[in-house]
Amino acid sequence: MKTFTTPGPAALMVRFAAGRLYVRTAADDHDQTATLVDVQPANPDSSADVEHAAATTVEQRGETIELIAPTSKGWFGRNPRLEVRLVVPAHSRVDADVKSADVQLAGELGEVFVATASGDVAVEHAAELQAR
């Protein structure tokens, strides 16, 4: 798990092909100064998933936390799958572009942009929402 200092709402940019994305806002004021990011293989027994999780980059650029998985396909065109969990300050912005992943956003978020070709999207609260 990585921790980034974000003294106010963060801006997330998330890019990966397959798996599950879960973002929730911090539960109390003490947690409002950091963003926590955890990237795991969806199947820890799959070497493709494990290698893909290890190759995923997570960096902070100013107030933006960028999570970018490499573009790759496994056997028979199957994308390696990730399990991505983030805890962010309230009112954070989420920009997620996933190909075949479920997206679950919990808590009070700011602007939310979600693009997915297939997968379920659930958003508890967003100041503004665009989904495609």
Side-chain angles (χ1 to χ4, degrees):
M1 181 173 295
K2 293 186 176 185
T3 302
F4 298 95
T5 302
T6 49
L12 304 178
M13 185 183 80
V14 178
R15 304 287 186 266
F16 69 94
R20 183 169 181 254
L21 171 63
Y22 178 70
V23 179
R24 72 170 176 87
T25 57
D28 58 44
D29 290 340
H30 176 71
D31 295 328
Q32 296 294 323
T33 61
T35 294
L36 308 175
V37 182
D38 188 29
V39 179
Q40 298 294 323
N43 178 357
D45 295 327
S46 163
S47 61
D49 287 9
V50 170
E51 291 170 11
H52 199 65
T56 298
T57 61
V58 182
E59 300 176 337
Q60 183 171 12
R61 299 180 193 280
E63 295 177 1
T64 301
I65 308 298
E66 296 181 354
L67 184 148
I68 302 173
T71 303
S72 66
K73 292 208 181 227
W75 293 95
F76 305 107
R78 178 193 174 275
N79 286 304
R81 299 178 60 78
L82 299 176
E83 182 83 14
V84 177
R85 294 180 171 274
L86 297 101
V87 179
V88 299
H91 311 289
S92 290
R93 180 180 189 272
V94 178
D95 177 357
D97 189 348
V98 296
K99 304 303 177 222
S100 179
D102 292 335
V103 177
Q104 184 177 358
L105 309 176
E108 197 166 323
L109 294 165
E111 294 176 322
V112 172
F113 305 93
V114 177
T116 182
S118 67
D120 295 330
V121 176
V123 180
E124 185 176 332
H125 177 85
E128 181 181 334
L129 174 63
Q130 292 183 18
R132 57 178 173 91

